Amino acid sequence: LDSLLQESIVKMSEEIVEFAAVKQFTEDKSSLIIDVRNPDEFAAGHIPSAVNVPLPELGNALGLSAEEFKEKYKFDLPGKEDAIITNCKMGGRAGKGYNLLKETGFTNLKLYKGSLKDWMEQGGEVVKEE
């Protein structure tokens, strides 16, 4: 049991990203950063290049056709192997979004556990919507 627990902890730690990695992803656009906060929170300030799919909508959003998804969320429905990072304000909702994506069959996921709070504390640029 101990070895199984250790393996699980190591696996999870491989799936957590920190500020420096997320900053790199905002610059090279190699990962889709999904902010699962509510639209008003997202508009008030978010990580550059992040897109918004609120956590309460995430499950249904993933069931939409590619056309419906793009029309509603203004970006392409990600593929199951696309690199995706979830974030929110402090990490709780991002973890739930991460788990929901994983349960839906997405395989290339990372969780920004520190989320926006850590991003701002590290001096990351914050984009505000008009």
Side-chain angles (χ1 to χ4, degrees), residues 14-35 46-51 83-88 94 109-120 122-126:
E14 289 171 359
E15 295 165 351
I16 291 174
V17 288
E18 300 298 334
F19 174 81
V22 177
K23 186 167 184 355
Q24 182 63 46
F25 295 135
T26 67
E27 292 164 4
D28 65 20
K29 314 277 193 283
S30 60
S31 289
L32 179 64
I33 302 171
I34 299 180
D35 189 319
H46 60 84
I47 294 171
S49 82
V51 293
I84 298 173
I85 299 170
T86 59
N87 85 284
C88 61
L109 299 171
K110 300 239 183 270
L111 167 64
Y112 184 15
K113 199 165 172 63
S115 284
L116 189 65
K117 181 178 187 293
D118 178 67
W119 181 261
M120 291 169 65
Q122 302 282 343
E125 179 191 352
V126 175

Side-chain angles (χ1 to χ4, degrees), residues 40-60:
D40 58 326
E41 293 175 277
F42 182 79
H46 60 84
I47 294 171
S49 82
V51 293
N52 184 222
V53 181
L55 185 60
E57 296 176 21
L58 188 58
N60 288 336

